[in-house]
Amino acid sequence: MSRQILVNKLHLLAASLQLMTCRRTLSEAAKAEKTFRRSLGPLVRSAKDETPEPIKTSVTGEIPKWIDGSLYRNGGGLFEVGIDKYKHLFDGLSLLHRFNIKDGQVTYQNRFLRSDHYTKNMKANRIVCTEFGTVGHPDPCHNLFQRVLSRFKMRKGTDNCNVNVMSIKDEMYAMTESPYIWRIDPKTLESVEKLDISEFLAVNMATAHPHYTNDGTHYNMGSTFGKVTKYNIIKIDPADAGKPFLQKSSILCSIPARGRDPSYYHSFGMTDNYFVYLEQPLYINVMKILKATLLGSSFTDIMEYRPQNKARFHVVNSRTGELHSTEYTADAFFCFHHINAYEDDGHIVVDLCSYKDEEVIGKNIHRRNEKRGVRACPGNRTHEICSSTNC
């Protein structure tokens, strides 16, 4: 057998192995996709058409005629673009809903948020923008040089604000966990203006679950990445009505992080006199942010769960902005939503929905120190709290 024939056969063998690997990978991806769709069902069902004009609905029972107002909802409403499908529940393109209630009747309308990500995806007819758990394809309108150059631009995050809506006086804003928010028309649901919180406050990301007080003051939390990582309590004073919305914002208090990498959080607690912040052991690896930008990874690829670390509760006086000197700790667990927080007989009671670890987000979050035999704590809803700073 000649050397050239041998080389050709080796090339064919390598190609066959590569094809088999590719087929196996595609098969595994198809199974994962099928499991994802089947487990979530209606939550990942797409709305193919908008209903921009109000339509009448059928009411079962009776709505009191004194109710006069609108109920707004926001969430992922489109999980396919062309032949591409989003791979995570949190990634669907934002669909805004309005239920207008008057004289015992209800009308309904919806409209997709015209975010930059929505516009680019629709133009390309595929997913070209990276979301929480889905990596976008390279922009087909860019040449090779532009695609490489785009990798060196640091991403601030998505402007697909699909988590919540916030109202400030007569203005309405769609929110997500990046520094971007979108002002929307409360009557037509049209997208009016994109705003960047980081241009007004030194924060890299913020929650989509702010709190309100009776006088209309808004509070939220946002993280600052850097040499000293901090968790900030953000205050928006409605009394300063002469300024644009974000110029009313200020940082009431900054909580130093345990280390360089910030803890991921989705919400926080507030009582009449205190804020309660949970620094949980799911972290955003700051060193991986640049790597993710260069390699085109999703947000979940830069997250690490470190169950050897305690969960820490920080308490801030909402009147003075003073951080309480005592930290309250518990065994490692993960939390998305605070259900309630209140004061009772000199104690702060925090009610939250907890998980034993981070797997509720998705299997593709990296675990650190897993080989060391470290495990997450049992999945109890009630956690023993230690009030020593050295726990």
Side-chain angles (χ1 to χ4, degrees), residues 65-280:
K65 292 190 176 182
W66 55 264
I67 297 179
D68 186 354
S70 294
L71 172 67
Y72 296 90
R73 285 293 180 262
N74 187 8
L78 188 64
F79 287 86
E80 300 90 21
V81 182
I83 62 172
D84 294 338
K85 295 181 180 179
Y86 285 110
K87 300 178 180 179
H88 201 286
L89 175 63
F90 299 166
D91 295 344
L93 293 172
S94 169
L95 182 64
L96 301 159
H97 310 262
R98 181 193 182 205
F99 301 85
N100 192 53
I101 307 170
K102 189 177 180 64
D103 295 329
Q105 300 299 314
V106 181
T107 61
Y108 170 78
Q109 64 193 109
N110 67 35
R111 194 185 291 267
F112 284 107
L113 179 71
R114 262 46 176 196
S115 62
D116 293 346
H117 280 205
Y118 175 91
T119 303
K120 291 177 181 178
N121 288 336
M122 294 301 107
K123 182 178 180 180
N125 195 33
R126 69 182 312 181
I127 298 172
V128 296
C129 298
T130 296
E131 299 294 343
F132 186 86
T134 304
V135 178
H137 297 282
D139 192 332
C141 296
H142 287 175
N143 58 37
L144 180 60
F145 176 74
Q146 289 173 320
R147 293 183 186 184
V148 172
L149 189 63
S150 68
R151 293 296 190 195
F152 290 88
K153 294 181 179 179
M154 290 297 292
R155 298 194 304 258
K156 283 189 176 182
T158 180
D159 75 328
N160 175 34
C161 300
N162 63 356
V163 179
N164 198 10
V165 290
M166 171 181 67
S167 60
I168 298 181
K169 291 188 177 294
D170 59 347
E171 296 179 344
M172 184 79 64
Y173 295 87
M175 308 178 72
T176 185
E177 294 181 333
S178 77
Y180 297 119
I181 59 176
W182 269 91
R183 184 160 68 90
I184 59 177
D185 188 303
K187 290 186 178 181
T188 66
L189 301 181
E190 290 179 304
S191 306
V192 178
E193 178 185 16
K194 183 176 80 169
L195 301 173
D196 184 351
I197 299 174
S198 65
E199 292 181 358
F200 298 85
L201 296 169
V203 295
N204 297 96
M205 60 186 299
T207 83
H209 292 294
H211 289 289
Y212 311 83
T213 58
N214 291 334
D215 66 356
T217 303
H218 287 55
Y219 293 98
N220 200 4
M221 286 199 65
S223 294
T224 301
F225 307 159
K227 188 175 181 181
V228 179
T229 297
K230 296 177 289 187
Y231 313 112
N232 306 294
I233 306 289
I234 301 169
K235 179 180 180 180
I236 305 168
D237 189 351
D240 200 0
K243 296 181 180 180
F245 153 58
L246 284 174
Q247 291 183 15
K248 307 172 189 176
S249 305
S250 61
I251 292 179
L252 178 68
C253 174
S254 293
I255 303 169
R258 183 185 335 209
R260 177 201 63 201
D261 295 336
S263 170
Y264 170 78
Y265 53 97
H266 186 75
S267 61
F268 64 103
M270 185 177 79
T271 72
D272 289 339
N273 297 291
Y274 299 98
F275 300 108
V276 180
Y277 168 64
L278 169 62
E279 187 178 12
Q280 56 192 357

Side-chain angles (χ1 to χ4, degrees), residues 298-354:
S298 68
F299 189 79
T300 54
D301 294 320
I302 64 174
M303 302 174 78
E304 294 178 349
Y305 189 65
R306 304 169 189 170
Q308 73 275 16
N309 290 347
K310 294 279 189 179
R312 294 175 180 262
F313 292 85
H314 302 273
V315 178
V316 176
N317 188 306
S318 60
R319 314 291 181 183
T320 65
E322 180 182 1
L323 175 64
H324 200 284
S325 59
T326 302
E327 291 180 352
Y328 302 87
T329 65
D331 288 340
F333 69 95
F334 175 68
C335 167
F336 260 128
H337 293 109
H338 286 68
I339 301 168
N340 195 11
Y342 58 94
E343 298 164 37
D344 181 25
D345 193 23
H347 295 81
I348 297 175
V349 181
V350 180
D351 188 11
L352 49 80
C353 185
S354 69

Side-chain angles (χ1 to χ4, degrees), residues 304-305 307 357-359 365-370 374 376:
E304 294 178 349
Y305 189 65
D357 53 37
E358 86 298 348
E359 287 193 0
I365 293 181
H366 305 295
R367 280 180 179 252
R368 189 173 181 179
N369 297 326
E370 193 172 39
V374 179

